[in-house]
Amino acid sequence: MTREVRSDRDGDDRGYRKGPVLLRRGKIPRETTDARLLAPEQDFEWLHQDPWRVMRIQAEFVEGFGALADLGPAIAVFGSARIQPDDAEYALAEDVGRRLVEAGYAVVTGGGPGVMEAANKGAVEADGVSVGLGIELPFEQGMNEWVDLGVNFRYFFARKTMFLKYSQGFVVLPGGFGTMDELFEALTLVQTQKVSSFPIVLLGSDYWGGLIEWLQTSMLDRGTISEHDLDLLPVVDTAEEAVDAVLQGMAQLVREAEAQAAAAEDAGGAPE
């Protein structure tokens, strides 16, 4: 129960304590939280206030962590929701999903149509684990029929956390603003070492070639990124190359981690 202490007068310097919050003078409410809770008649405006949103945000994290805790090794596949089943990218994403399962990984997507549906379909048809992390949107897409484990989110940042926490790598097919958002969010976190580095592979040189050229001729030439940063974005053209690249990237990271651990152990055991 929230502990609330009100002074004898509104102007008292001791003020009014509402949990960790201190209120004084005109900020002091006329009734306590308990009184409002027990009031028989009240509106539902409180459901839309920021403190209640914090609880909903917390619930999204708790439910997401609980649903995905036992997922095991997984790779996230991103791409446009507007890709149609007869488009070449749909078949490509389906092949990626199948190959990832055959390599021993679950497939995680945004749960929607297009590339996401195709990757989930490929995972299911290969008898693998197919995961969808959906998002509440004004134009409701719904979870595609190939998702076996689905979690819906209200907040993009909670959803992004799940992608980054439970995926060991990203395969990114042609997509729009949402795909770009996920891509550059991950790149930023890897570049700044906010998360453990993991491989990000772009699939489709015809689509991504212009972006890579712009990164080289604009950002790199102006010094806003380093040459090493471009190494974070390999570009391939087949599903086989994409899966191989992400697996090789993970293997390289494991080797680097083992080498660092061995160096740290040697340093710790060396005589002073």
Side-chain angles (χ1 to χ4, degrees):
M1 181 178 295
T2 301
R3 184 185 177 204
E4 304 186 28
V5 179
R6 185 168 184 170
S7 64
D8 292 339
R9 56 192 179 90
D10 289 354
D12 193 305
D13 288 342
R14 289 178 297 169
Y16 176 98
R17 296 191 181 276
K18 187 177 181 182
V21 179
L22 172 64
L23 303 172
R24 288 192 175 119
R25 289 173 284 279
K27 293 294 186 181
I28 298 177
R30 294 295 177 185
E31 59 182 357
T32 67
T33 301
D34 302 271
R36 288 192 296 275
L37 175 64
L38 297 173
E41 295 181 2
Q42 52 185 307
D43 60 33
F44 294 95
E45 183 65 25
W46 62 277
L47 285 170
H48 307 289
Q49 295 173 353
D50 286 344
W52 180 247
R53 289 192 182 101
V54 171
M55 300 299 294
R56 292 199 304 192
I57 292 167
Q58 180 182 6
E60 289 208 346
F61 280 105
V62 170
E63 291 183 3
F65 291 155
L68 301 172
D70 298 326
L71 179 60
I75 303 295
V77 181
F78 296 98
S80 175
R82 304 185 185 191
I83 297 298
Q84 300 300 311
D86 57 352
D87 290 335
E89 288 86 355
Y90 191 98
L92 194 59
E94 196 173 342
D95 194 12
V96 168
R98 177 179 60 82
R99 289 178 180 274
L100 287 172
V101 168
E102 291 173 350
Y105 291 86
V107 173
V108 183
T109 77
V115 164
M116 296 172 280
E117 175 185 296
N120 287 132
K121 180 183 178 184
V124 169
E125 292 183 340
D127 295 324
V129 178
S130 173
V131 179
L133 305 181
I135 186 70
E136 178 183 306
L137 295 172
F139 40 94
E140 186 60 47
Q141 295 178 339
M143 201 73 73
N144 72 67
E145 64 177 309
W146 299 100
V147 170
D148 293 329
L149 172 58
V151 185
N152 275 304
F153 295 87
R154 285 187 178 93
Y155 303 101
F156 271 112
F157 54 82
R159 181 180 184 240
K160 288 177 180 178
T161 299
M162 301 305 150
F163 276 121
L164 291 162
K165 180 173 176 60
Y166 293 104
S167 300
Q168 280 73 56
F170 286 0
V171 176
V172 189
L173 282 84
F177 288 163
T179 301
M180 294 290 186
D181 179 52
E182 298 286 0
L183 169 61
F184 280 98
E185 176 92 9
L187 279 172
T188 301
L189 292 174
V190 171
Q191 181 199 49
T192 57
Q193 299 182 9
K194 289 293 185 180
V195 297
S196 298
S197 296
F198 56 86
I200 302 168
V201 179
L202 302 181
L203 180 48
S205 58
D206 286 346
Y207 189 84
W208 297 111
L211 173 64
I212 298 300
E213 182 179 358
W214 181 79
L215 293 175
Q216 292 171 332
T217 59
S218 294
M219 298 185 78
L220 183 59
D221 287 353
R222 291 289 298 273
T224 56
I225 62 172
S226 68
E227 191 166 351
H228 171 72
D229 292 331
L230 291 176
D231 295 337
L232 300 174
L233 282 176
V235 182
V236 299
D237 282 308
T238 69
E240 181 179 10
E241 290 173 331
V243 174
D244 286 346
V246 79
L247 295 181
Q248 289 172 10
M250 286 188 291
Q252 177 63 30
L253 292 171
V254 169
R255 289 193 294 269
E256 291 175 359
E258 291 175 345
Q260 290 175 357
E265 184 176 353
D266 291 343
E272 295 182 1

